[in-house]
């Protein structure tokens, strides 16, 4: 006998209220820890337990399924990182988490007054609403601005759907240029995975025409199999381009642990035609990043105006997003 769905348990009267099957808890940490202490913990029947961070652009912190963590957390934790969007300070205080959104003003090295990986992950969301759908899913929405007084006025409306009965989290962004000047909208969805999913020998599969290392040092670390741990501090970065999508236009990267657990990252290839992969095999670091993006992170395509990112004219909009699906 299969496990009944949340909607059937409610309709048959076997559960008295939706909260018994899809639990949402607001958590407020120690105020002395500074911004980012507030979060929502969503725990689903037959699904995941995930932390949603309204003060981090509605990004995702910890992600558990079947009593096992899937997200990578740095020594700082995703609520303790830098709030300064300038320069290169982003990486030194990067807390990790299942999703850290980079952009929508810059990805990659600091440029043109924008800091490393932009300001989204450092910007609190406004108009945050949390609720449940009739079929038992949890829906979290909010607005994150990418704006300045004299310049860009870009609005990001984020919708996070945590599925009932399936270990799946869907993030969908509607991006609109509310200003009077064109605005570049680079975005990179920095999905971070860690142990025990990521172990020596964990396999990565990305169907793409090319797989290019950022530098010669990166080429020494194969992208398709996670390496043995290193006692030296170092990283390897690859870009997968010419993505092969399915009939619905969905591209994906699949990460499979030697234990049999998997994480599948999905996105629309027309929206993010590239995927960057970050390998950080240092002991105590030990992270794997799968990062769908709409703009180059390195290489000759990054030269020129807007560093190769798409541009929205005044009043124009677009949609983008990423899905994380895990299994045991």
């Amino acid at each position: 006998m299969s496990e009944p769905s949340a909607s059937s348990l409610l309709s048959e009267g076997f559960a008295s209220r939706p909260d018994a099957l899809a639990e949402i808890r607001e958590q407020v940490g120690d105020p002395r820890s500074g911004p980012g202490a507030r979060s929502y913990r969503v725990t689903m029947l037959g699904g995941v337990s995930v932390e949603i961070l309204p003060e981090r652009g509605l990004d995702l912190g910890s992600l558990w399924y079947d009593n096992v963590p899937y997200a990578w957390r740095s020594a700082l934790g995703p609520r303790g990182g830098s709030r300064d969007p300038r320069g290169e300070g982003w990486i030194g205080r990067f807390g990790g988490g299942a999703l850290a959104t980079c952009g929508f003003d810059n990805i990659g090295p600091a440029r043109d007054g924008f800091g490393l990986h932009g300001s989204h992950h450092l910007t609190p969301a406004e108009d945050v609403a949390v609720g449940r759908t009739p079929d038992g899913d949890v829906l979290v929405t909010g607005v994150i601005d990418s704006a300045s007084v004299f310049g860009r006025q870009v609005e990001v409306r984020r919708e996070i759907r945590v599925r009932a009965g399936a270990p799946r989290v869907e993030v969908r962004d509607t991006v609109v240029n509310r200003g009077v000047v064109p605005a570049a909208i680079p975005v990179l969805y920095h999905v971070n995975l860690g142990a025990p999913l990521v172990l020596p020998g964990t396999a990565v599969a990305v169907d793409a025409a090319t797989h290019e290392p950022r530098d010669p040092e990166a080429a020494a670390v194969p992208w398709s199999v996670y390496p043995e741990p290193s006692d030296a501090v170092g990283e390897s970065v690859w870009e997968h381009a010419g993505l092969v999508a399915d009939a619905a236009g969905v591209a994906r990267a699949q990460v499979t642990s030697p234990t049999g657990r998997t994480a599948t990252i999905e996105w629309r290839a027309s929206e993010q035609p590239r995927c960057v992969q970050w390998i950080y095999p240092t002991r105590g670091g030990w992270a794997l990043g799968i990062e769908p993006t709409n703009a180059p992170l390195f290489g000759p395509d990054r030269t020129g105006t807007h560093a190769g990112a798409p541009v929205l004219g005044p009043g124009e909009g677009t949609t983008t997003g990423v899905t994380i699906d895990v299994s045991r």
Side-chain angles (χ1 to χ4, degrees):
M1 179 180 178
S2 61
E3 190 170 77
S5 67
S7 58
S8 66
L9 289 172
L10 288 167
S11 63
E12 295 294 332
F14 298 139
S16 60
R17 50 181 290 154
D19 187 65
L21 306 172
E23 186 176 83
I24 307 168
R25 294 292 179 264
E26 184 174 5
Q27 302 172 332
V28 180
D30 187 340
R32 292 173 297 180
S33 65
R38 174 169 161 253
S39 67
Y40 292 99
R41 167 65 62 183
V42 177
T43 304
M44 305 295 292
L45 168 70
V48 300
S49 177
V50 62
E51 185 182 34
I52 298 172
L53 308 174
E55 295 183 56
R56 293 283 177 184
L58 282 180
D59 278 337
L60 307 179
S62 66
L63 175 68
W64 290 67
Y65 177 61
D66 189 36
N67 295 318
V68 171
Y70 281 72
W72 172 71
R73 311 287 292 274
S74 83
L76 296 163
R79 292 188 286 181
S82 171
R83 301 296 301 205
D84 189 349
R86 300 168 296 180
E88 303 291 329
W90 192 97
I91 190 63
R93 299 291 297 173
F94 180 35
L99 174 63
T101 303
C102 304
F104 280 80
D105 43 20
N106 183 47
I107 65 171
R111 63 167 190 87
D112 299 336
F114 299 116
L116 172 70
H117 280 333
S119 59
H120 183 101
H121 186 64
L122 309 177
T123 303
E126 299 179 346
D127 298 334
V128 176
V130 182
R132 299 175 181 83
T133 67
D135 54 3
D137 297 344
V138 167
L139 203 62
V140 181
T141 60
V143 179
I144 304 94
D145 289 327
S146 175
S148 62
V149 174
F150 299 107
R152 60 186 287 118
Q153 300 289 332
V154 173
E155 176 186 88
V156 180
R157 291 189 170 270
R158 171 159 291 185
E159 177 183 291
I160 301 171
R161 183 180 294 268
V162 187
R163 289 290 184 181
R168 186 175 177 91
V169 183
E170 301 167 0
V171 178
R172 197 73 184 150
D173 291 327
T174 301
V175 187
V176 179
N177 181 2
R178 301 290 188 192
V180 297
V181 297
I185 54 159
V187 61
L188 181 148
Y189 293 102
H190 209 298
V191 177
N192 304 291
L193 305 170
L197 174 71
V198 178
L199 297 170
T202 288
V204 180
V206 183
D207 197 353
T210 62
H211 312 276
E212 295 292 335
R214 182 180 62 184
D215 46 48
E217 292 76 16
V221 180
W223 65 268
S224 59
V225 180
Y226 205 85
E228 295 293 322
S230 170
D231 292 318
V233 176
E235 64 178 4
S236 179
V237 178
W238 290 75
E239 182 185 85
H240 311 289
L243 298 170
V244 178
D246 65 14
V250 175
R252 56 181 51 85
Q254 186 168 69
V255 179
T256 305
S257 173
T259 66
R261 292 183 179 273
T262 66
T264 303
I265 316 305
E266 298 179 343
W267 64 94
R268 291 191 175 277
S270 60
E271 297 169 353
Q272 288 103 245
R274 307 166 184 258
C275 178
V276 174
Q277 181 179 340
W278 175 51
I279 304 166
Y280 182 29
T282 303
R283 294 182 194 274
W286 202 253
L288 172 63
I290 302 295
E291 307 164 17
T293 180
N294 67 356
L297 193 64
F298 56 86
D301 291 346
R302 192 173 166 83
T303 61
T305 307
H306 306 304
V311 176
L312 290 180
E316 291 182 341
T318 189
T319 58
T320 183
V322 67
T323 295
I324 304 172
D325 195 306
V326 299
S327 67
R328 58 177 178 235

